[in-house]
Amino acid sequence: EILIQSAYSIEWLENLGVDMEPSFTFEQRGQDVAKVVKQGDESEGATLMSKLEESFDELGGTKLMDTRVTELLVDDGNVVGVLAEGPEGVVEIRAEAVVLATGGFGANSEMIEDTIPGLATLGYHFTGNPKNVGDAFDLVKPVDAQTYDKNWVIPAPGSILPHPAIVAKDSKLRDFNGFSTLEENLISNRVLVNRNGDRFTNEGAN
């Protein structure tokens, strides 16, 4: 869904005043990808977040910092809000919709092992946010929410991790990464498939 809606997402950001420009990948890989035009010494991400925060404030939104959601409020099977804990104690927030944006679970070694058995044999080391521990998975248990197929997950941006059975066939794929220097050689004569033999990604893209 995120890929299907990506063009609309870019248009939405532009309407919020975020300047976008073609990414370098268009020239290097033939991909028409847009990226944020950073302002001054800010990173692209910081520029984007500044614009989103500005729009959020203009719409009258309220930000609660250092506040962690501990429980979803459920009424007749529907999520109607959250319980959160912050500097002022426990707060109840009612809402028409709740978006869980907690990041992944790359920093949760137990969840990684349970979800992707044998991942350690690929030499995987998580280098992302240490707070990415899979909070959302615990939060949605009371509503029996649908989650991703456990056979394939990407625990950190930029990493495509082949199934161990594939690595057993070709050890070079152990080091495959979307931003790897090995990428050109890896994708020139290989097609990436999942454990069922189904092609799962455009191997010409990161």
Side-chain angles (χ1 to χ4, degrees):
E1 183 68 18
I2 190 172
L3 296 179
I4 294 173
Q5 299 295 331
S6 61
Y8 300 104
S9 298
I10 292 173
E11 184 178 30
W12 175 70
L13 289 174
E14 290 179 326
N15 289 336
L16 291 182
V18 178
D19 294 327
M20 308 291 285
E21 66 181 358
S23 171
F24 69 92
T25 53
F26 179 77
E27 290 78 16
Q28 294 187 0
R29 297 175 180 161
Q31 296 170 289
D32 192 7
V33 179
K35 68 176 182 178
V36 175
V37 178
K38 63 182 181 179
Q39 301 299 314
D41 294 330
E42 288 184 333
S43 66
E44 288 89 345
T47 295
L48 174 61
M49 292 309 298
S50 294
K51 282 291 185 181
L52 290 177
E53 184 175 30
E54 181 182 312
S55 175
F56 185 78
D57 291 339
E58 289 176 355
L59 291 171
T62 300
K63 298 186 292 289
L64 300 179
M65 309 304 291
D66 299 317
T67 303
R68 182 176 183 271
V69 172
T70 58
E71 183 182 340
L72 297 182
L73 297 176
V74 182
D75 183 12
D76 195 26
N78 298 312
V79 177
V80 295
V82 300
L83 285 180
E85 189 170 350
E88 305 301 322
V90 177
V91 58
E92 179 178 309
I93 304 169
R94 295 278 171 164
E96 294 183 7
V98 174
V99 177
L100 295 178
T102 63
F105 56 92
N108 187 330
S109 58
E110 291 183 2
M111 188 175 289
I112 286 287
E113 182 59 30
D114 177 60
T115 308
I116 325 172
L119 179 60
T121 63
L122 294 178
Y124 169 74
H125 299 285
F126 183 67
T127 58
N129 191 323
K131 293 183 179 181
N132 286 357
V133 294
D135 289 343
F137 289 89
D138 289 329
L139 288 170
V140 300
K141 284 179 180 177
V143 292
D144 193 28
Q146 181 179 357
T147 57
Y148 287 110
D149 182 343
K150 288 188 175 182
N151 293 337
W152 281 99
V153 294
I154 303 178
S159 297
I160 299 176
L161 303 169
H163 189 273
I166 298 176
V167 176
K169 295 290 185 181
D170 188 336
S171 61
K172 289 182 180 179
L173 283 170
R174 181 190 307 275
D175 301 317
F176 182 83
N177 181 288
F179 304 105
S180 170
T181 55
L182 296 174
E183 180 180 33
E184 183 176 353
N185 292 331
L186 286 172
I187 67 174
S188 62
N189 56 8
R190 294 173 175 83
V191 173
L192 298 184
V193 296
N194 65 13
R195 62 194 299 175
N196 298 319
D198 302 318
R199 178 169 172 169
F200 77 96
T201 186
N202 171 10
E203 64 280 352
N206 65 36

